Amino acid sequence: MAAGAAVAARRLLLLRHPRHPHLLPKHQFSSSAAADSLDGGDGGRVKIFDRDLKRRHRDRAAWAMRENDALLDAVADNLLDRLEDCRKAFPSALCMGGAAGAVRRLLRGRGGIEKLTMMDMSEDMVKKWRELENAAEDGLETNFIVGDEEYLPIKENSQDLIMSCLGLHWTNDLPGAMIQCRLALKPDGLFLAAILGGETLKELRIACTIAQMEREGGISPRMSPLAQVRDAGNLLSRAGFALPGVDVDRYTVKYNSALELVEHLRAMAETNALFQRSPILKRDTALATAAIYQSMFGLEDGTIPATFQVIYMTGWKEHSSQQKAKRRGSATVSFSDIRKEFGSNQE
């Protein structure tokens, strides 16, 4: 424990985000993600991720992860900031998977939530959250359930708010999971999600690819596919959300070595869960990856940077009170008339 604390104390988190210029923490999060869910055969889906393996990863992480993580806290805080931009309250809310523990700890009355349901596919993770909840003193009614985002065990039209902080990128059918979230929302309910984007761990991807080519003469899937920013808006629209919104943050984390980075990814339940993964990583390939990472990306102070791109998605369940685009062709003034009217003044 003391050694782990010493390592954490040496770890610097540089959060390149205007809302958090003061943060200078200790750890971070991980890799992976599948927003590229493919529709196909048998009931519908081509399975990319081994969800049972991912559940075991989260079982292990429930007892390995630290209570406070600077990166997870920053992402969760940024996600919750969206609630402060809303005038309405959300009496009932569901928070599922990923960094839900950080969301619960940093909620601090935001969103007017009166009843919070926390859900995870890992029974051990839910048990850990329940133990931490006993120490909370904010009076918020909190319930805990074990459930899978791919088969959401929530009644339709039952929630005012659904949040997912760094969890949905492990689903095999991301649009399908988002559709289930929309169905579980009440009319004019809000969906908030943060997923990892395509630039996440780009340094590790490059180093790992070069090492495999050098040592093994080819490459095998070592890291999960990630959603691109351009896909996020399409995902919201495909899931049927109204007033979709997407924005992106990039966080840079410093580690003492690539091996320390991988160790922390394991503690955060963000290791490889692809069905087509290679079961063995050769020792010389792992060491070569670490050496290449240090050689290509190492900083003057001896540390290495790791990039985490986070995509924030916002969507509302349709309601008659919401703004709606006018019917195509219903405009009464043309842009050419506006240009004629005001163009001469600009010149």
Side-chain angles (χ1 to χ4, degrees):
M1 294 292 290
V7 171
R10 294 195 300 270
R11 198 179 287 161
L12 292 178
L13 172 61
L14 303 181
L15 298 179
R16 296 178 179 174
H17 188 282
R19 296 180 183 174
H20 297 273
H22 60 287
L23 287 178
L24 203 74
K26 335 164 187 153
H27 320 239
Q28 41 322 228
F29 176 74
S30 115
S31 107
S32 79
D36 306 314
S37 304
L38 301 177
D39 293 343
D42 169 27
R45 292 193 306 261
V46 173
K47 291 187 176 181
I48 301 173
F49 300 112
D50 185 339
R51 294 288 289 177
D52 186 60
L53 176 61
K54 181 47 57 183
R55 177 186 55 77
R56 296 198 298 273
H57 286 171
R58 292 194 63 77
D59 284 343
R60 178 179 61 190
W63 310 110
M65 69 169 51
R66 299 177 63 87
E67 182 176 344
N68 298 311
D69 182 281
L71 176 63
L72 296 186
D73 285 358
V75 175
D77 202 33
N78 289 341
L79 189 70
L80 291 170
D81 278 349
R82 274 85 179 152
L83 296 179
E84 298 184 8
D85 297 331
C86 300
R87 295 182 180 179
K88 66 174 294 182
F90 305 93
S92 61
L94 169 68
C95 186
M96 53 187 187
V103 172
R104 171 65 183 94
R105 181 163 35 81
L106 299 171
L107 190 57
R108 299 169 186 158
R110 283 182 281 193
I113 297 173
E114 300 172 1
K115 180 179 180 181
L116 176 66
T117 301
M118 297 183 65
M119 186 192 82
D120 197 273
M121 65 190 301
S122 164
E123 187 173 351
D124 286 357
M125 187 67 74
V126 171
K127 182 178 179 181
K128 178 72 174 293
W129 290 342
R130 185 178 285 111
E131 291 177 355
L132 295 174
E133 182 65 23
N134 293 333
E137 300 178 353
D138 56 5
L140 176 63
E141 180 184 349
T142 307
N143 300 314
F144 302 87
I145 60 174
V146 178
D148 193 330
E149 296 97 329
E150 292 190 350
Y151 306 97
L152 199 62
I154 304 296
K155 293 181 180 179
E156 292 188 15
N157 301 308
S158 64
Q159 302 296 316
D160 296 294
L161 169 67
I162 293 181
M163 298 177 286
S164 175
C165 185
L166 300 177
L168 285 176
H169 53 262
W170 281 113
T171 57
N172 285 298
D173 182 12
L174 181 52
M178 292 170 64
I179 289 173
Q180 292 182 66
C181 290
R182 178 178 58 80
L183 293 175
L185 285 170
K186 297 177 182 178
D188 203 31
L190 176 62
F191 170 76
L192 289 176
I195 61 174
L196 293 178
E199 293 187 17
T200 297
L201 295 178
K202 60 183 181 181
E203 303 90 352
L204 182 60
R205 293 173 187 270
I206 293 171
C208 187
T209 299
I210 295 174
Q212 284 187 294
M213 291 294 293
E214 289 183 352
R215 302 291 175 166
E216 302 175 18
I219 60 176
S220 59
R222 290 291 175 189
M223 303 183 72
S224 305
L226 289 160
Q228 300 297 321
V229 176
R230 62 179 178 272
D231 299 326
N234 293 333
L235 286 170
L236 287 165
S237 298
R238 181 177 174 185
F241 286 106
L243 306 176
V246 176
D247 59 289
V248 183
D249 284 338
R250 182 182 291 106
Y251 305 88
T252 301
V253 182
K254 285 185 177 181
Y255 289 92
N256 291 322
S257 70
L259 298 180
E260 183 183 349
L261 164 60
V262 173
E263 175 189 345
H264 190 257
L265 299 185
R266 183 179 292 118
M268 298 300 296
E270 291 297 330
T271 45
N272 191 359
L274 291 169
F275 267 115
Q276 297 184 353
R277 65 190 179 278
S278 176
I280 299 174
L281 176 61
K282 296 180 180 179
R283 177 181 174 83
D284 60 341
T285 303
L287 294 176
T289 299
I292 293 170
Y293 201 136
Q294 184 70 48
S295 175
M296 294 184 66
F297 304 104
L299 304 176
E300 292 182 358
D301 61 1
T303 61
I304 57 170
T307 299
F308 297 88
Q309 183 188 49
V310 180
I311 302 173
Y312 295 93
M313 298 187 292
T314 305
W316 297 81
K317 187 167 183 178
E318 192 172 90
H319 188 263
S320 58
S321 65
Q322 295 169 355
Q323 304 173 29
K324 291 182 176 60
K326 293 292 185 179
R327 179 178 53 82
R328 188 177 181 86
S330 61
T332 57
V333 179
S334 69
F335 280 108
S336 59
D337 292 339
I338 295 175
R339 184 175 182 180
K340 291 177 182 178
E341 182 71 22
F342 299 100
S344 58
N345 294 335
Q346 295 177 351
E347 294 175 359

